[in-house]
C-alpha cells in the first residue's frame, strides 16, 4: 500500500503558504546548477515551470511530443483566467476566490492547495502583463474583467477569445529566453514512454523521438510531469487530438497513485455532435453565458420548429428558472446536467435532439450587434465555420462535451507524487478543482503551479538529494525501462491484427460516454468495466499498426496512447463505481436529491441535484497499480480534512 | 459526396517523393478537411498500406500545427481559417483535390505532408521575449497601456506560428511571422527596453535559417489564418532601420549606454 500523506503545513489556512516558504529548505546558488530537472510537457504549467526553474539556476531539460513548445492545448482556452485582484471593487478577495473554487469543486478539493492557488492568482496577472500578454483593457489603459460561471464577481482577465493562446505564448517566450540563454535544453517531437525509478525515487525518463524512432534514456535529480488531462479517453472531446494520458499512465504503472480518475468535466456549451466521422468537439467559451441565455422549448412539439417561430412564452429558460441566483452563470456541471435533463425529457433541439439554444437576441437588443461582435466576434465566426449558421440571427445550438479532467496523478502539498522526486503540475495532477472545475481556473492553476508553486516546493526535495549524485543512465533501472519501451513498440509493430487503433478508440469512447459519462449507475459501470476489459484483451490480439519503428509513424504513436487509454477507462469506471455518492461532475443516479428531501423543501437545491455523502466519501481516492492491467488496483485514501471551510450543501439557487 | 485526392507522398527527408491518387469513400459535407483525411487514412490502413502522414492537433485553428497546401493554397480555399477549419462543403462532389506540404528550404520535409518548422522556434529563442524574471513584476495595473496599442498588439500576437506565410511566399520569406512577434512586443511599454536589440537579433536569426527576403507581394497576408496585416512588416522595417542607425551600444565602464 502506498502512503498518501498530504504534507499540509501547520498553522492557520491564510498563512500556511507564507510560513511554508519561510520554513522550506533553500539551495545555495552554487549548488543549484548541479541539479538537473526533467520537465515533460510545455503547456502553461510545463513552460512556466521550465523557464522559472532555469532562472533559479537549475539545469532544465524540457520534453514535448509536439514539434514546438508552443502547441500544447492550453493554447485553445478561450475565456479567461481568474485572479483575486478586485480591480472592479466588487467585493472580491483571496478568500472569496478560494471559497468559490472550493465550493465550485463540491468540497472535494484539498483546502490548503486551493487557498494557495487563490493567493498566487494575483501574482500571475502581474507576471503575464509584464511579459507582454495583451490582456483586454479599458479606455483608461487599465485591465478589463468579465464574469464567469460559479462567481458573482468579475474577476476574469482575458485576451479576446484567445486567453489561453496569449498566456501560453507568454510562458513560451519566457521559455525561449532561457533556451536562448542555454539554460533550458528543449527536446521537441520527443514522447516520454516510461518513468525510471531508482531506489524508490523518480530519476529519469525514457523517450521516443517521433521523427527518427530513436529511444533514449535521460537521467535527472527530479522529474516533473506537466502533461495535461486525459479527456480523450472519450475519443470525442474538446481536447486536441494529440492530448493523451501516456506519460501519466506510465508513471502510474511505476507506482504513482492516480487520484480521483472519475472526476471529469463535461462542459455545457459545445457545438453538438453531427456525425460519426467526427474527430473532435468544439467548445463555445463559457464567457458567452455572460450575455447569452440558455433555453429549450417547453413543448416537445416545438422542437423541430425554427427557433424564431417559438413564442417567448413557450420557451423554458431553464437555468434562470432553476438556479435564480446564478442563472445562466451556474457552474459547468450543473448547467451540463440541466441540458441533459431537458434533452432526456424530449425537449432537445437540432437534428439529433441533443442540443439546446444559447440565445443572444436579448443581448443584441440591449447592447447592439456591434458590442456583441466586439466581445465574441471570433466565437461567432468559429460557430459559423463549423455549423454554417449565423448566431447573430438565430440562436446557437449547444450540448455538453468532455472538456477537462479534474482527476490526475495524486500529489501532496509540494505537488510531489507518492513516488519521491516525481512532481506533477497543472491538469495532470488532481489537487485543486475537486469534483468540478470553475471556468477560468485551469489557466490559473497551470501557471500557479509552474511559475510560483513548484519553484518554491522542489527545493525541499532536492535539498535531501546529494548534488551531482544522480544515477547514471547505465544503471540497471534505466536499461530495464528502455527494454520495456522497446518491447512494447515491437509488440505493437509485430502484432498482425485486423483493426486500426482509431477503431478501438471510437469503441472505447462510446463505452466511456455510455457508462461513465454525465450520468452513472452501478449496473452501467459494472457493465462498462466488463466491456472495457474485453476491449483491452482484443486490443492486444487484434490491433493493426502499420509502418516501422525507426521512422515518423503516427499509427504507432496512436496505438501506444490508445492502449493506455483503454486501461485508464477501466480504472475510471472502477473509481466511479466505488464512489457511491454524487459530487460535482460525478453524478451517480442513485444519489440525487428527491422532492422529499428537506434540502429540496427548504429550496436550497432542486430535485435531481447531486447528493454528496460526506460521512463516507470525504476523501481522495488514490489508486495504485497492482502489477498487471487485469488485476484490480489498490485503493488508498487521503481524508479531506477541512480546517476552516464547512462542507455544506452546494447551492446556486 | 466523394472526392479524388492527389497527395504528396514522401517517406523521409532524403527519399524522393511523388504524387499519389486516392479515391475517398463516401463523405459528409459537414466533415472537416482533416476528418476527410482521417476517413481516407482508415481506408488506406485497412488495405494494409501506410496512411498519409499529416500534422494536426487542436483542430480548432489555434495551435498552428496543421499545414497543408490545398489546391495550391496554404490552408485551402477560405480566407482567415486554417486547414483544420476547412470543411468539405467548400468542395464539390467529384472534385480532385491536390494536397501538398509547405514547401520552403527552411522547412525540410519530415514525411508526406509533415514539415520541420523548428526554424521558427530558433528565431524566437533569439529574441522573442521580454526579459522579466518570475516574481519580479510590478502590479499589472501600474503599467497602463492605451487600448489602441493593446488592441493592435493583440492583432499581431494572434499569430499561430503555422508557417503558411512562408509557404505562400515565392521567396519563402518569414517576414510576416517575425514582424508579428516584433510588433506585438514593440507596441507595448513593457517591450521598449529591448525593442531594437530584439528586432536585430530576430532578423539575423531569420536570415541564418535560410528564409528568403521580402518583396512585399502580400501573398502571406492573403493566406494567414489570423489575417495578420502586412502593415506589421512596415512597422518592423522601421524598427530595424532605426536599430541599425543606433548601432551597437557603446560600452562604458560599469554598464552599457543606450
Ligand atoms: S490543428 Fe491546430 S491550427 Fe489546425
Amino acid at each position: 500500500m502506498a502512503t498518501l500523506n498530504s504534507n499540509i503545513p501547520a498553522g492557520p489556512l491564510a498563512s500556511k503558504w507564507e510560513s511554508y516558504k519561510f520554513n522550506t529548505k533553500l539551495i545555495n546558488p552554487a549548488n543549484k546548477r548541479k541539479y538537473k530537472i526533467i520537465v515533460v510537457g510545455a503547456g502553461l504549467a510545463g513552460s512556466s515551470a521550465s523557464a522559472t526553474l532555469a532562472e533559479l539556476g537549475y539545469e532544465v531539460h524540457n520534453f514535448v511530443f509536439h514539434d514546438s513548445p508552443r502547441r500544447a492545448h492550453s493554447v485553445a482556452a478561450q475565456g479567461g483566467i481568474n485572479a483575486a485582484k478586485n480591480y472592479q471593487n466588487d467585493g472580491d478577495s483571496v478568500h472569496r476566490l478560494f471559497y468559490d473554487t472550493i465550493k465550485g469543486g463540491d468540497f472535494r478539493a484539498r483546502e490548503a492547495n486551493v487557498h494557495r492557488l487563490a493567493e498566487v492568482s494575483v501574482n500571475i496577472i502581474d507576471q503575464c502583463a509584464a511579459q507582454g500578454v495583451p490582456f483586454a483593457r479599458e479606455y483608461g489603459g487599465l485591465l478589463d474583467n468579465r464574469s464567469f460561471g460559479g462567481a458573482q464577481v468579475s474577476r476574469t482577465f482575458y485576451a479576446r477569445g484567445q486567453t489561453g493562446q496569449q498566456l501560453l505564448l507568454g510562458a513560451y517566450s519566457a521559455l525561449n529566453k532561457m533556451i536562448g540563454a542555454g539554460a533550458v535544453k528543449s527536446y521537441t517531437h520527443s514522447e516520454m514512454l516510461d518513468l525510471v525509478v531508482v531506489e524508490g525515487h523518480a530519476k529519469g525518463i525514457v523517450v521516443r523521438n517521433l521523427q527518427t524512432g530513436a529511444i533514449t534514456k535521460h537521467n535527472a535529480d527530479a522529474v516533473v510531469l506537466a502533461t495535461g488531462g486525459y479527456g480523450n479517453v472519450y475519443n470525442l472531446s474538446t481536447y486536441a487530438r494529440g492530448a493523451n494520458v501516456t506519460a501519466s499512465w506510465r508513471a502510474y504503472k511505476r507506482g504513482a497513485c492516480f487520484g480521483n480518475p472519475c472526476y471529469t468535466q463535461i462542459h455545457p456549451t459545445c457545438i453538438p455532435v453531427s456525425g460519426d466521422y467526427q474527430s473532435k468537439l468544439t467548445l463555445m467559451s463559457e464567457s458567452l453565458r455572460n450575455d447569452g441565455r440558455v433555453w429549450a422549448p417547453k413543448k416537445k412539439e416545438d422542437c423541430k420548429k425554427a427557433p424564431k417561430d417559438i413564442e417567448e412564452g413557450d420557451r423554458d429558460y431553464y437555468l434562470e428558472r432553476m438556479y435564480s441566483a446564478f442563472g445562466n452563470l451556474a457552474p459547468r456541471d450543473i448547467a451540463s446536467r440541466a441540458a441533459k435533463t431537458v434533452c432526456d425529457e424530449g425537449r432537445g433541439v437540432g437534428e439529433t435532439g441533443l442540443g439546446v439554444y444559447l440565445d443572444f437576441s436579448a443581448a443584441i437588443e440591449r447592447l447592439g450587434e456591434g458590442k456583441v461582435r466586439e466581445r465574441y466576434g471570433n466565437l461567432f465566426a468559429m460557430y459559423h465555420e463549423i455549423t454554417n449558421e449565423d448566431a447573430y440571427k438565430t440562436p446557437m445550438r449547444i450540448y455538453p462535451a468532455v472538456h477537462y479532467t479534474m482527476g490526475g496523478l495524486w500529489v501532496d502539498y509540494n505537488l510531489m507524487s507518492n513516488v519521491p522526486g516525481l512532481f506533477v503540475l497543472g491538469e495532470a495532477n488532481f489537487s485543486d478543482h475537486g469534483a468540478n472545475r470553475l471556468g477560468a481556473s485551469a489557466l490559473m492553476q497551470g501557471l500557479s503551479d509552474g511559475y510560483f508553486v513548484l519553484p518554491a516546493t522542489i527545493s525541499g526535495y532536492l535539498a535531501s538529494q546529494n548534488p551531482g549524485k544522480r544515477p547514471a543512465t547505465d544503471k540497471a533501472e534505466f536499461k530495464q525501462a528502455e527494454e520495456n519501451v522497446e518491447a512494447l513498440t515491437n509488440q505493437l509493430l509485430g502484432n498482425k491484427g485486423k483493426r486500426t487503433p482509431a477503431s478501438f478508440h471510437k469503441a472505447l469512447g462510446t463505452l466511456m460516454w455510455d457508462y461513465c459519462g454525465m450520468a452513472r449507475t452501478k449496473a452501467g459501470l459494472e457493465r462498462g468495466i466488463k466491456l472495457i476489459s474485453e476491449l483491452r484483451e482484443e486490443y492486444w490480439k487484434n490491433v493493426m499498426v502499420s509502418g516501422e519503428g525507426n521512422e515518423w509513424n503516427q499509427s504507432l504513436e496512436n496505438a501506444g496512447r490508445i492502449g493506455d487509454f483503454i486501461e485508464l477507462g477501466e480504472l475510471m469506471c472502477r473509481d466511479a463505481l466505488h464512489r457511491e455518492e454524487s459530487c460535482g461532475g460525478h453524478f451517480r443516479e442513485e444519489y440525487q436529491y428527491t422532492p422529499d428531501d428537506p434540502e429540496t423543501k427548504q429550496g436550497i437545491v432542486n430535485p435531481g441535484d447531486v447528493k454528496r455523502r460526506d460521512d463516507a466519501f470525504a476523501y481522495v481516492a488514490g489508486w495504485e497499480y497492482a502489477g498487471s492491467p487485469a488485476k484490480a488496483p489498490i485503493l488508498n485514501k487521503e481524508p479531506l480534512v477541512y480546517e476552516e471551510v464547512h462542507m455544506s450543501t452546494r447551492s446556486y439557487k | 459526396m466523394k472526392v479524388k485526392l492527389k497527395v504528396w507522398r514522401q517517406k523521409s527527408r532524403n527519399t524522393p517523393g511523388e504524387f499519389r491518387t486516392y479515391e475517398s469513400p463516401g463523405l459528409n459535407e459537414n466533415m472537416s478537411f482533416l476528418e476527410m483525411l482521417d476517413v481516407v487514412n482508415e481506408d488506406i490502413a485497412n488495405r494494409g498500406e501506410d496512411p498519409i502522414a499529416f500534422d494536426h492537433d487542436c483542430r480548432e485553428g489555434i495551435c498552428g500545427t496543421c499545414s497543408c497546401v490545398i489546391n495550391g493554397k496554404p490552408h485551402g480555399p477560405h480566407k482567415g481559417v486554417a486547414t483544420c477549419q476547412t470543411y468539405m462543403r467548400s468542395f464539390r462532389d467529384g472534385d480532385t483535390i491536390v494536397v501538398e506540404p509547405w514547401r520552403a528550404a527552411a522547412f525540410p520535409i519530415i514525411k508526406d505532408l509533415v514539415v520541420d518548422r523548428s526554424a521558427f522556434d530558433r528565431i524566437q529563442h533569439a529574441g522573442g521575449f521580454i526579459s522579466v524574471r518570475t516574481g519580479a513584476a510590478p502590479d499589472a495595473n501600474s503599467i497602463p497601456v492605451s487600448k489602441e496599442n493593446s488592441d493592435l498588439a493583440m492583432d499581431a500576437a494572434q499569430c499561430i506560428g503555422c508557417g503558411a506565410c512562408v509557404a505562400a511566399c515565392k521567396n519563402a520569406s518569414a517576414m510576416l511571422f517575425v514582424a508579428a512577434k516584433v510588433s506585438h512586443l514593440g507596441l507595448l511599454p513593457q517591450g521598449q527596453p529591448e525593442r531594437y536589440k530584439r528586432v536585430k537579433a530576430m532578423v539575423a536569426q531569420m536570415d541564418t535559417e535560410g528564409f528568403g527576403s521580402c518583396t512585399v507581394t502580400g501573398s502571406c497576408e492573403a493566406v494567414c489564418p489570423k489575417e495578420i496585416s502586412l502593415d506589421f512588416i512596415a512597422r518592423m522595417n522601421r524598427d530595424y532601420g532605426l536599430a541599425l542607425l543606433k548601432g551597437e551600444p557603446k560600452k562604458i565602464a560599469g554598464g552599457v549606454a543606450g
Side-chain angles (χ1 to χ4, degrees):
Chain A
M1 290 278 279
T3 326
L4 304 184
N5 184 345
S6 61
N7 290 317
I8 298 170
L13 187 61
S15 56
K16 281 185 196 295
W17 179 231
E18 274 310 310
S19 60
Y20 172 96
K21 283 192 287 183
F22 181 73
N23 290 320
T24 200
K25 290 197 197 93
L26 299 178
I27 294 176
N28 81 54
N31 271 345
K32 278 203 184 108
R33 56 174 175 271
K34 295 185 189 151
Y35 289 106
K36 174 177 165 190
I37 302 170
I38 283 175
V39 179
V40 186
L44 289 178
S47 294
S48 57
S50 297
T52 306
L53 292 170
E55 283 172 9
L56 288 171
Y58 298 111
E59 179 187 340
V60 177
H61 291 228
N62 179 276
F63 296 79
V64 290
F65 69 78
H66 291 101
D67 69 330
S68 158
R70 66 175 291 156
R71 309 275 191 221
H73 206 50
S74 310
V75 83
Q78 298 167 352
I81 176 165
N82 286 332
K85 280 288 199 185
N86 194 27
Y87 283 163
Q88 304 299 326
N89 196 26
D90 56 0
D92 202 9
S93 63
V94 164
H95 189 78
R96 189 178 292 279
L97 175 55
F98 154 71
Y99 187 77
D100 284 349
T101 308
I102 206 136
K103 175 184 169 194
D106 212 356
F107 305 97
R108 287 293 175 266
R110 192 187 287 140
E111 194 187 42
N113 287 50
V114 179
H115 199 279
R116 175 174 67 189
L117 176 67
E119 288 172 58
V120 166
S121 70
V122 295
N123 305 108
I124 297 172
I125 301 304
D126 298 342
Q127 179 65 24
C128 296
Q131 282 169 346
V133 169
F135 284 122
R137 302 212 169 234
E138 298 165 346
Y139 280 100
L142 302 181
L143 292 164
D144 192 20
N145 292 108
R146 54 166 61 143
S147 317
F148 251 63
Q152 289 170 314
V153 294
S154 281
R155 63 160 73 99
T156 304
F157 295 78
Y158 65 101
R160 293 198 189 139
Q162 289 124 287
T163 316
Q165 180 201 26
Q166 293 309 315
L167 296 175
L168 183 67
L169 292 182
Y172 167 71
S173 72
L175 178 61
N176 282 330
K177 182 185 63 161
M178 300 319 288
I179 294 173
V184 175
K185 188 159 166 41
S186 162
Y187 301 75
T188 55
H189 274 154
S190 297
E191 180 166 30
M192 169 183 157
L193 292 178
D194 209 349
L195 176 75
V196 181
V197 179
V198 180
E199 289 163 21
H201 289 238
K203 289 296 169 194
I205 61 174
V206 175
V207 168
R208 179 172 179 271
N209 181 303
L210 302 183
Q211 284 191 31
T212 64
I215 291 168
T216 49
K217 303 172 290 209
H218 303 263
N219 65 349
D221 294 280
V223 175
V224 180
L225 298 188
T227 48
Y230 49 87
N232 271 343
V233 66
Y234 290 87
N235 186 32
L236 278 185
S237 74
T238 67
Y239 284 65
R241 282 309 282 169
N244 67 80
V245 76
T246 287
S248 293
W249 197 250
R250 306 284 163 101
Y252 164 73
K253 288 185 149 182
R254 292 284 177 192
C257 287
F258 213 110
N260 300 329
C262 80
Y263 289 170
T264 327
Q265 176 156 84
I266 317 271
H267 193 292
T269 53
C270 302
I271 300 179
V273 178
S274 62
D276 68 350
Y277 50 79
Q278 210 156 348
S279 63
K280 82 157 268 158
L281 299 173
T282 305
L283 175 77
M284 290 284 100
S285 167
E286 176 161 310
S287 61
L288 292 169
R289 287 200 275 144
N290 268 300
D291 288 307
R293 296 177 73 197
V294 179
W295 64 274
K298 281 187 182 159
K299 298 185 280 197
K300 282 187 201 170
E301 312 80 90
D302 285 352
C303 291
K304 294 289 169 217
K305 282 191 191 162
K308 66 174 174 14
D309 298 332
I310 304 174
E311 299 285 326
E312 190 60 31
D314 290 333
R315 301 176 174 194
D316 178 13
Y317 295 91
Y318 57 85
L319 286 177
E320 296 168 29
R321 171 173 58 81
M322 293 161 69
Y323 303 97
S324 53
F326 284 71
N328 292 298
L329 286 174
R332 292 175 173 179
D333 55 331
I334 288 176
S336 289
R337 226 157 13 241
K340 181 181 186 305
T341 308
V342 164
C343 295
D344 288 350
E345 288 167 11
R347 296 194 284 129
V349 298
E351 230 167 274
T352 57
L354 294 176
V356 295
Y357 291 122
L358 179 61
D359 197 334
F360 293 88
S361 53
I364 290 174
E365 209 161 286
R366 185 173 38 134
L367 305 162
E369 188 174 315
K371 188 82 196 166
V372 171
R373 199 176 283 277
E374 186 188 316
R375 283 190 190 161
Y376 312 110
N378 68 322
L379 299 169
F380 278 53
M382 199 162 168
Y383 184 77
H384 179 252
E385 270 150 32
I386 296 174
T387 62
N388 217 8
E389 283 174 26
D390 180 358
Y392 295 102
K393 305 247 142 53
T394 186
M396 288 183 180
R397 278 177 301 109
I398 51 161
Y399 196 68
V402 173
H403 177 61
Y404 187 89
T405 49
M406 283 76 68
L409 292 178
W410 182 89
V411 290
D412 67 2
Y413 187 77
N414 303 301
L415 303 183
M416 188 163 86
S417 78
N418 58 303
V419 176
L422 177 67
F423 292 80
V424 191
L425 316 186
E427 191 178 350
N429 76 25
F430 87 97
S431 69
D432 291 5
H433 306 296
N436 171 59
R437 178 174 67 73
L438 289 183
S441 290
L443 303 182
M444 172 172 70
Q445 187 219 340
L447 291 180
S448 153
D449 286 1
Y451 281 131
F452 297 106
V453 179
L454 179 79
T457 60
I458 201 169
S459 61
Y461 171 74
L462 291 174
S464 72
Q465 305 295 300
N466 280 333
K469 290 278 173 348
R470 60 182 166 268
T473 55
D474 56 8
K475 251 194 153 347
E477 288 86 347
F478 280 89
K479 282 224 173 78
Q480 192 273 335
E482 183 182 38
E483 284 163 13
N484 178 39
V485 169
E486 283 167 350
L488 190 69
T489 309
N490 292 337
Q491 186 183 355
L492 287 169
L493 287 166
N495 206 17
K496 296 286 169 244
K498 296 221 160 26
R499 233 179 121 175
T500 61
S503 85
F504 280 98
H505 199 180
K506 259 190 192 161
L508 174 68
T510 310
L511 292 177
M512 288 301 293
W513 184 249
D514 288 350
Y515 299 116
C516 198
M518 261 194 287
R520 304 158 174 185
T521 63
K522 179 167 188 287
L525 289 162
E526 282 167 351
R527 192 164 158 72
I529 292 169
K530 182 169 165 287
L531 294 175
I532 294 171
S533 68
E534 286 167 14
L535 191 71
R536 166 169 48 76
E537 279 167 29
E538 193 203 333
Y539 190 76
W540 293 104
K541 283 193 205 119
N542 202 22
V543 70
M544 164 174 74
V545 181
S546 56
E548 288 148 45
N550 60 356
E551 58 168 0
W552 179 267
N553 187 339
Q554 290 168 317
S555 171
L556 176 65
E557 285 167 34
N558 287 335
R561 296 171 191 169
I562 293 163
D564 292 338
F565 274 136
I566 297 177
E567 293 179 9
L568 165 75
E570 197 175 327
L571 181 69
M572 288 170 70
C573 291
R574 282 183 192 280
D575 185 39
L577 177 66
H578 113 281
R579 188 165 282 278
E580 294 182 328
E581 67 163 348
S582 295
C583 53
H586 169 64
F587 182 63
R588 281 285 299 266
E589 284 183 11
E590 303 92 324
Y591 307 98
Q592 52 180 304
Y593 283 101
T594 66
D596 301 330
D597 280 319
E599 292 86 346
T600 322
K601 285 190 179 142
Q602 289 159 22
I604 301 173
V605 296
N606 288 312
D609 277 351
V610 292
K611 195 176 201 174
R612 288 198 327 265
R613 291 176 58 205
D614 293 341
D615 53 332
F617 289 97
Y619 62 80
V620 179
W623 295 93
E624 183 181 347
Y625 189 57
S628 137
K631 267 205 204 146
I634 302 151
L635 174 62
N636 301 286
K637 297 178 184 177
E638 177 208 331
L640 285 171
V641 184
Y642 280 21
E643 295 173 13
E644 291 209 0
V645 166
H646 168 64
M647 287 186 184
S648 60
T649 302
R650 202 168 61 138
S651 173
Y652 290 97
K653 290 193 63 160
Chain B
M1 69 186 287
K2 284 191 177 180
V3 296
K4 194 182 274 182
L5 293 180
K6 253 179 91 178
V7 185
W8 184 258
R9 302 298 311 259
Q10 181 170 345
K11 198 166 166 49
S12 65
R13 186 172 300 196
N14 301 318
T15 44
E18 58 175 10
F19 279 106
R20 250 181 264 162
T21 307
Y22 300 90
E23 304 277 347
S24 82
L27 306 170
N28 178 314
E29 59 165 20
N30 290 321
M31 277 180 177
S32 73
F33 186 81
L34 296 184
E35 285 166 349
M36 180 275 292
L37 285 181
D38 289 340
V39 171
V40 170
N41 265 346
E42 275 295 278
D43 234 31
I44 297 177
N46 281 322
R47 289 202 301 270
E49 295 167 29
D50 199 19
I52 303 160
F54 66 93
D55 240 347
H56 66 97
D57 198 30
C58 75
R59 296 198 176 198
E60 51 185 284
I62 194 74
C63 73
T65 311
C66 62
S67 51
C68 293
V69 177
I70 304 169
N71 287 338
K73 226 181 128 201
H75 289 313
H78 293 296
K79 249 187 102 60
V81 295
T83 297
C84 58
Q85 299 164 290
T86 301
Y87 284 78
M88 291 313 287
R89 55 178 165 267
S90 307
F91 304 91
R92 278 189 316 253
D93 187 30
D95 273 2
T96 297
I97 307 174
V98 183
V99 194
E100 299 164 86
W102 285 176
R103 288 190 190 278
F107 289 164
I109 288 192
I110 295 173
K111 186 176 178 180
D112 298 342
L113 305 172
V114 181
V115 299
D116 178 349
R117 287 169 284 191
S118 52
F120 270 13
D121 284 328
R122 289 187 293 273
I123 295 174
Q124 303 267 46
H125 301 160
F129 46 79
I130 289 169
S131 297
V132 46
R133 288 179 72 85
T134 304
D139 183 87
N141 260 351
S142 68
I143 328 165
V145 183
S146 78
K147 186 161 160 43
E148 291 77 13
N149 272 9
S150 156
D151 284 350
L152 200 54
M154 181 65 201
D155 289 343
Q158 292 191 73
C159 167
I160 59 174
C162 62
C165 45
V166 176
C169 176
K170 65 180 166 62
N171 308 320
S173 163
M175 283 289 271
L176 191 62
F177 168 76
V178 180
K181 194 71 201 173
V182 164
S183 303
H184 156 210
L185 299 177
L187 274 159
L188 297 170
Q190 304 90 303
Q192 297 313 308
E194 293 163 296
R195 179 167 170 186
Y196 298 105
K197 187 171 151 215
R198 174 184 311 120
V199 67
K200 272 188 4 192
M202 291 181 76
V203 169
Q205 188 63 35
M206 175 179 85
D207 292 341
T208 310
E209 296 292 344
F211 290 102
S213 47
C214 173
T215 50
V216 207
T217 61
S219 56
C220 49
E221 182 190 62
V223 301
C224 174
K226 293 295 160 196
E227 304 186 85
I228 291 180
S229 162
L230 270 186
D231 295 352
F232 291 120
I233 295 186
R235 181 177 284 277
M236 175 166 85
N237 282 335
R238 214 160 47 232
D239 273 13
Y240 188 68
L242 278 172
L244 292 184
L245 283 175
K246 285 173 180 268
E248 289 302 315
K250 192 165 66 180
K251 300 271 187 301
I252 55 165
V256 174

